[in-house]
Amino acid sequence: MPAFTAIEDVPLVVRHARKFPAQVRQELGLPSGVKLAVLIHGGHKAELRVTEDFLPAGWVCVACNGGQPLCADAPLPANFRLAPAEVYTPDLVAACDCVIGKIGYGIVSEVLAHGRPLVFVRRDFFNEEPFLRKVLELHSGAVEMKRRDFLAGHWGPYLQRACSLTVRYNQPTNGAEVVAARLEQVARGDTATAPKANPMARLRDTVVFGYLMATSKHGRVDVPDWYVNGADPNRRLGSLKNLADVLASTPGFSLDPLLKDWRVVEGDSRQLPHMPDTLAFLQLLRQLDSPQAEDQQRGSSGGGDSGTAGCAAAADGSGDDG
């Protein structure tokens, strides 16, 4: 976000399981071979009335709802269990075959760290979801369940699909330790070990902040892999890494078609050819207005403006205004 002038990427900050999966399953009294689903239902205002046929044969579901019944006037069927309010969720996640719930940072980090798939129901007006969902997709960690199927109890096909996934998250999960060590460095005034500022960080996160504000109007737009991975995009773009050389050898090439809807208000616009990730993201953001442009074109009798809203971009470089 623009308010934060220094942004440092750290590994996943996540709670880890304290018990072995076999111990958790034994405490739940689950026989060998029974599949376990964990339902994270906290935060939902509506009650959920479940019946035994919500689950396929051979499945048991532990519901985490802050210790409160899923439905006040309906007891849980035999293949459902209610977790106590003080349950440590990562223990259940590590012991289960899949998790059912909404997308949020906490549960996404836990399923990735423990290698468990998530069956999720889409959340409306939740700006974090596109990014968290993209992380799950990159690591084969999620199956979307339609809301009507969730409420009607047609869980079987989604659970079976989730069990066929192999969650592949091989990144470090010691983000809490890294953050604690970094805070200690700051408290001691140790600037020698501080990471060098990334000149792209301010532009990147400012543009992403604008993306978040626009998604509620235009629906879902895919998030670039490089941003979700939290890496330097220039190291991941292959042949686009040398885009500046390609442009320099292309007679008559101009960035004007791409930048016609953008005004550089900070930095040197001449640096843009050296920022392939920024060019790709600007192109993506131009598409946010495409539904609006189509509506205006259909409603107009002649030519004219495409309807694309004026925007501003920043290019970190020499500091000259473009």
Side-chain angles (χ1 to χ4, degrees):
M1 296 176 64
F4 299 95
T5 58
I7 300 173
E8 301 174 19
D9 290 323
V10 298
L12 201 66
V13 178
V14 59
R15 299 187 302 170
H16 294 275
R18 299 169 181 168
K19 298 179 180 179
F20 291 107
Q23 178 184 356
V24 175
R25 296 177 75 92
Q26 183 179 10
E27 292 174 356
L28 292 172
L30 298 180
S32 177
V34 171
K35 290 195 174 292
L36 174 62
V38 174
L39 172 64
I40 309 295
H41 196 65
H44 291 276
K45 295 181 180 180
E47 293 186 334
L48 179 66
R49 186 184 297 269
V50 297
T51 58
E52 189 170 351
D53 59 0
F54 272 43
L55 299 173
W59 280 78
V60 169
C61 179
V62 174
C64 300
N65 193 38
Q68 300 300 315
L70 295 178
C71 185
D73 59 352
L76 288 177
N79 53 352
F80 278 80
R81 317 279 176 84
L82 182 64
E86 66 277 6
V87 67
Y88 186 62
T89 308
D91 287 339
L92 291 175
V93 172
C96 75
D97 294 280
C98 74
V99 177
I100 306 170
K102 61 184 185 296
I103 286 184
Y105 178 82
I107 194 59
V108 168
S109 64
E110 289 171 11
V111 296
L112 289 175
H114 297 94
R116 299 295 183 265
L118 173 67
V119 177
F120 70 92
V121 180
R122 189 181 297 245
R123 299 176 70 173
D124 296 326
F125 310 109
F126 185 60
N127 284 334
E128 294 179 21
E129 179 167 310
F131 295 91
L132 295 173
R133 176 173 179 156
K134 186 67 174 183
V135 173
L136 291 168
E137 291 175 355
L138 288 173
H139 300 286
S140 304
V143 174
E144 180 180 1
M145 183 189 299
K146 301 297 183 183
R147 185 177 284 107
R148 61 177 178 272
D149 289 335
F150 174 74
L151 297 175
H154 301 154
W155 295 6
Y158 300 99
L159 297 178
Q160 300 294 346
R161 170 60 181 154
C163 287
S164 70
L165 299 178
T166 301
V167 182
R168 301 181 180 89
Y169 188 80
N170 300 318
Q171 306 299 320
T173 58
N174 63 332
E177 291 84 355
V178 172
V179 171
R182 185 72 186 94
L183 290 175
E184 183 178 0
Q185 291 175 357
V186 174
R188 293 177 181 274
D190 183 6
T191 59
T193 57
K196 295 182 179 179
N198 182 356
M200 288 297 300
R202 183 177 179 186
L203 171 62
R204 180 187 65 180
D205 290 284
T206 300
V207 171
V208 170
F209 180 72
Y211 162 85
L212 287 174
M213 296 300 98
T215 51
S216 62
K217 294 187 299 181
H218 299 285
R220 183 189 172 199
V221 178
D222 206 9
V223 180
D225 294 356
W226 60 260
Y227 186 83
V228 179
N229 286 333
D232 179 0
N234 294 322
R235 294 200 300 264
R236 309 178 73 89
L237 288 174
S239 60
L240 286 181
K241 183 177 181 179
N242 300 317
L243 182 61
D245 297 333
V246 174
L247 298 183
S249 61
T250 304
F253 181 85
S254 174
L255 289 174
D256 291 342
L258 175 62
L259 299 178
K260 67 183 181 68
D261 299 319
W262 298 89
R263 179 169 55 91
V264 177
V265 296
E266 180 178 336
D268 186 355
S269 60
R270 293 171 297 181
Q271 295 295 321
L272 284 172
H274 303 277
M275 302 176 180
D277 61 309
T278 303
L279 294 176
F281 216 155
L282 291 178
Q283 179 64 32
L284 170 67
L285 293 178
R286 288 182 66 201
Q287 300 173 11
L288 289 174
D289 279 315
S290 58
Q292 176 183 352
E294 291 176 1
D295 290 341
Q296 290 187 2
Q297 287 175 354
R298 285 195 298 266
S300 62
S301 59
D305 199 312
S306 65
T308 303
C311 302
D316 289 337
S318 65
D320 298 330
D321 289 336

